[in-house]
Amino acid sequence: MPPKKAQVQEKVLLGRPGNNLKSGIVGLANVGKSTLFQSITKSSLGNPANFPYATIDPEEARVIVPDERFDWLCEHYKPKSQVPANLTVYDIAGLTRGASTGAGLGNSFLSHIRAVDAIFQVVRCFDDAEIIHVEGDVDPVRDLTIISEELRIKDIEFVEKALEALSKQTRRGGQSLEMKKLKEEEATTAKVLQWLQDGKDIREGEWGPKEVEVINPLFLLTAKPVVYLVNLSEKDFIRKKNKYLPKLFEWVKEKSPTSPILPISAQFEERLTQLGDEAAAEECKKLGTASGLPKVITTMRQALNLASFFTTGADEVRQWTIRKGTKAPSAAGVIHTDFEKTFIQAIVYNYSVLKELGDEAAVKAAGKIMTKGKDYVVEDGDIMLIKAGAAKS
């Protein structure tokens, strides 16, 4: 008898399922959030012809994800239509100390954060007498601590309410399966509350699949992935030095070790945007630096566990967004909902193989084109042709 294969427990991700995920730019007032938002959303990130700026309303915009693979495929196929991936970004009003209790725009600010799936947290590391700091002076560690505490206080409030509602139900007692499930939920919610009260963020915990199923419907602020954007003066960004950075890195390493930190200069990015693409490229070359924005967008996609697959041909090259770990039928459903229900198979090869071998004929000759069924987990960079049946009317 062959040994039984050990079942691998699938990791359930914190946060909303789905591919149309949004990120919000968050921080105290006057730290450079809006300047950065304007730069990100008006910038030509890597491929000027492909970077339209689509404002949906004053606080929301879609930015195109810079991706060399997409650029290469467009160059290779020279299609009539090119559709890159994009990321939705919100500019959220500045937070103030006491927001969790409704100070300033507190409640509206926190509800806006609840609506996004990940946070760009902007922290100010530049001195400027003309730009008043809401706390009186520049101290990034204090600023990070204020935001972190405000979000955690609000989460404690959410979890306490949820725990109270569960406790009312479990007090009825009984041995039914429903009661057993409620008691498990109550135990998880109590564990989550203790974690928050200990001063820790939910995203930093190791949560099992069943625990994640209890956490996700709570839409907790500290469960969202964070990318820290350290806003430097132009001079400090170019020379890659700043007096505040050592303590800031220390704070993030201790409090939020899974979160990436990216130095950025809103002042520099704004200037590049105003120069236009060609002059901006010349300026970067002269200064021996580059815009930090492409990395900001790609890092957020990684934080959201997003990946891409492509559909290609002479008519269209399109980059589709999926969560990592998505199976072929669900990926087909991103193209059209009917394809998920009527999925038959996918013809698949990866971009890296195509680039290495040069064209589809060479990929086929090398036996690298695969036919995959419903259990195939789509890999980042896959090029796919979906075969689906006719939809039932």
Side-chain angles (χ1 to χ4, degrees):
M1 287 277 290
K4 270 191 178 180
K5 273 190 180 177
Q7 275 199 322
V8 180
Q9 197 176 36
E10 282 189 31
K11 189 173 165 67
V12 182
L13 297 172
L14 284 171
R16 278 191 317 137
N19 318 305
N20 186 23
L21 302 181
K22 299 173 284 199
S23 54
I25 299 181
V26 172
L28 297 181
N30 292 349
V31 294
K33 294 187 313 302
S34 293
T35 307
L36 203 55
F37 175 78
Q38 285 160 18
S39 298
I40 288 174
T41 53
K42 288 178 187 170
S43 231
S44 50
L45 303 179
N47 186 342
N50 279 338
F51 286 78
Y53 156 55
T55 304
I56 299 154
D57 65 38
E59 297 162 333
E60 180 184 355
R62 286 200 185 103
V63 295
I64 285 172
V65 175
D67 195 319
E68 287 173 1
R69 300 172 302 180
F70 177 78
D71 295 343
W72 188 90
L73 289 168
C74 288
E75 190 58 37
H76 181 71
Y77 286 98
K78 298 188 171 42
K80 292 171 193 161
S81 167
Q82 303 177 7
V83 186
N86 59 53
L87 182 72
T88 304
V89 182
Y90 282 82
D91 181 18
I92 295 172
L95 175 137
T96 50
R97 194 192 286 271
S100 54
T101 55
L105 292 168
N107 292 325
S108 126
F109 167 91
L110 294 161
S111 70
H112 287 152
I113 300 186
R114 279 195 106 187
V116 299
D117 302 286
I119 296 168
F120 283 122
Q121 192 162 312
V122 182
V123 59
R124 176 174 164 177
C125 284
F126 64 88
D127 296 304
D128 188 329
E130 288 180 21
I131 303 174
I132 300 160
H133 192 290
V134 70
E135 287 288 319
D137 61 346
V138 176
D139 182 345
V141 168
R142 176 206 55 218
D143 295 355
L144 287 172
T145 304
I146 290 171
I147 292 180
S148 169
E149 284 175 357
E150 293 298 335
L151 300 187
R152 205 162 45 247
I153 290 165
K154 203 66 188 173
D155 275 358
I156 288 170
E157 195 184 300
F158 293 141
V159 176
E160 281 174 343
K161 280 181 187 166
L163 189 57
E164 199 181 314
L166 283 165
S167 300
K168 275 181 187 170
Q169 291 176 282
T170 56
R171 278 200 291 270
R172 297 198 312 262
Q175 298 299 315
S176 68
L177 282 172
E178 188 196 352
M179 185 52 68
K180 187 186 172 202
K181 188 169 179 287
L182 281 170
K183 283 183 176 169
E184 282 174 5
E185 276 185 40
E186 183 184 28
T188 297
T189 308
K191 181 180 169 184
V192 166
L193 181 60
Q194 189 57 58
W195 182 268
L196 289 163
Q197 287 171 337
D198 289 344
K200 294 183 280 190
D201 292 337
I202 299 302
R203 67 178 169 276
E204 297 301 332
E206 283 291 328
W207 308 101
K210 282 190 173 178
E211 291 174 322
V212 173
E213 280 169 22
V214 174
I215 293 168
N216 279 347
L218 296 170
F219 299 110
L220 299 178
L221 305 171
T222 66
K224 299 176 191 297
V226 171
V227 174
Y228 289 99
L229 299 181
V230 181
N231 191 8
L232 306 170
S233 67
E234 181 174 328
K235 182 184 168 189
D236 284 0
F237 177 74
I238 292 164
R239 68 190 187 121
K240 296 182 171 62
K241 278 186 183 175
N242 177 277
K243 64 184 178 187
Y244 299 111
L245 287 180
K247 283 187 177 175
L248 189 143
F249 275 94
E250 211 175 282
W251 186 94
V252 173
K253 192 179 171 187
E254 184 195 337
K255 303 283 186 185
S256 191
T258 61
S259 304
I261 309 172
L262 295 179
I264 190 99
S265 171
Q267 180 191 26
F268 180 56
E269 299 300 343
E270 184 180 40
R271 190 163 75 79
L272 290 183
T273 305
Q274 288 164 354
L275 284 173
D277 299 322
E278 279 185 33
E282 278 298 312
E283 183 69 359
C284 286
K285 197 175 169 185
K286 188 178 87 181
L287 295 168
T289 189
S291 165
L293 297 182
K295 191 154 190 206
V296 168
I297 300 299
T298 53
T299 303
M300 181 52 79
R301 257 174 76 90
Q302 286 161 9
L304 284 164
N305 278 295
L306 295 174
S308 296
F309 73 93
F310 301 93
T311 50
T312 58
D315 284 334
E316 181 181 83
V317 167
R318 186 186 283 247
Q319 183 171 5
W320 303 90
T321 299
I322 50 170
R323 290 299 282 278
K324 286 177 185 167
T326 295
K327 289 188 177 175
S330 299
V334 175
I335 298 173
H336 196 294
T337 47
D338 287 348
F339 291 175
E340 182 166 8
K341 299 171 202 153
T342 61
F343 177 88
I344 297 169
Q345 63 186 30
I347 313 299
V348 184
Y349 55 95
N350 200 272
Y351 157 82
S352 55
V353 176
L354 177 67
K355 191 178 179 195
E356 183 191 337
L357 299 179
D359 59 31
E360 280 178 57
V363 175
K364 196 171 185 180
K368 297 283 187 181
I369 294 181
M370 307 169 286
T371 302
K372 295 291 184 181
K374 292 182 178 180
D375 288 331
Y376 177 66
V377 176
V378 179
E379 288 188 15
D380 188 33
D382 274 352
I383 296 168
M384 295 176 73
L385 174 68
I386 308 291
K387 293 198 173 179
K392 289 175 187 172
S393 53

